[in-house]
Amino acid sequence: MNMPRSHRAVFMKHALELAAKCHETGDVPVGCVVVKDGVVVGQGYNTREKEQRVTGHAEIMALNDACSNLGTWKLDGCELYVTLEPCVMCSGAIVNARIDTVIFGARDSKAGGVRSLFAICEDPRLNHRVEIIEGILKAECSLIISDFFTSLRLNK
């Protein structure tokens, strides 16, 4: 189920809207949506600071929401849109959930588990591989992250 590039931008904009909610909580602004058959079935944004939980990543929130909404942990046939490249923890969860495709906006050179530091989702040693598409609304996704960290530095 590959969406045309224009549809991908629509779902990434939704993820960016979710990421903006992090400004209220002090979390790194990352948003994520899970899509099946062109419909959002799960969504989330970072809540690690707000909830003081190590697993409070946007992807984990969106995966859990999708599992609840679909009534299964097997999310085959689903695409996951996230503003920032998933980390190692989230990449492992994505593989375990059997997500078909991950679409992310900006790379994460310090913690990226999909392309920057590791290629967990495409590792042939694992029992499932995920198609990766990167760079959808890259400028917008990069800007929301860089603005957040610039603001943190200025407020110190």
Side-chain angles (χ1 to χ4, degrees), residues 40-56:
V40 174
V41 295
Q43 59 185 9
Y45 54 91
N46 277 357
T47 60
R48 193 166 55 168
E49 293 298 326
K50 177 183 173 185
E51 296 180 3
Q52 291 299 300
R53 290 187 186 173
V54 70
T55 57

Side-chain angles (χ1 to χ4, degrees), residues 29 36 44 53 60-61 71 84 104 125 127 132:
K36 184 169 182 126
R53 290 187 186 173
I60 301 298
M61 301 293 114
L84 185 66
F104 70 89
R125 296 170 295 177
N127 65 335
I132 305 300

Side-chain angles (χ1 to χ4, degrees), residues 28-31 46 48 57-59 82-91 102-120 132-135 138 141-143 145-146 148-149:
V28 176
V30 177
N46 277 357
R48 193 166 55 168
H57 288 205
E59 300 93 326
V82 62
T83 56
L84 185 66
E85 177 184 2
C87 71
V88 171
M89 173 183 69
C90 294
S91 296
V102 167
I103 299 98
F104 70 89
R107 282 197 178 198
D108 185 347
S109 62
K110 295 184 179 180
V114 172
R115 287 271 166 89
S116 296
L117 300 178
F118 301 97
I120 292 169
I132 305 300
I133 299 169
E134 67 175 288
K138 179 182 178 180
C141 293
S142 296
L143 184 62
I145 295 288
S146 62
F148 172 79
F149 285 109

Side-chain angles (χ1 to χ4, degrees), residues 61-123:
M61 301 293 114
L63 288 169
N64 285 336
D65 191 35
C67 290
S68 292
N69 290 329
L70 296 174
T72 181
W73 63 268
K74 293 179 185 175
L75 300 179
D76 53 318
C78 292
E79 295 180 324
L80 183 141
Y81 291 78
V82 62
T83 56
L84 185 66
E85 177 184 2
C87 71
V88 171
M89 173 183 69
C90 294
S91 296
I94 288 164
V95 169
N96 281 302
R98 311 295 194 269
I99 291 287
D100 285 358
T101 308
V102 167
I103 299 98
F104 70 89
R107 282 197 178 198
D108 185 347
S109 62
K110 295 184 179 180
V114 172
R115 287 271 166 89
S116 296
L117 300 178
F118 301 97
I120 292 169
C121 291
E122 299 171 305
D123 192 318

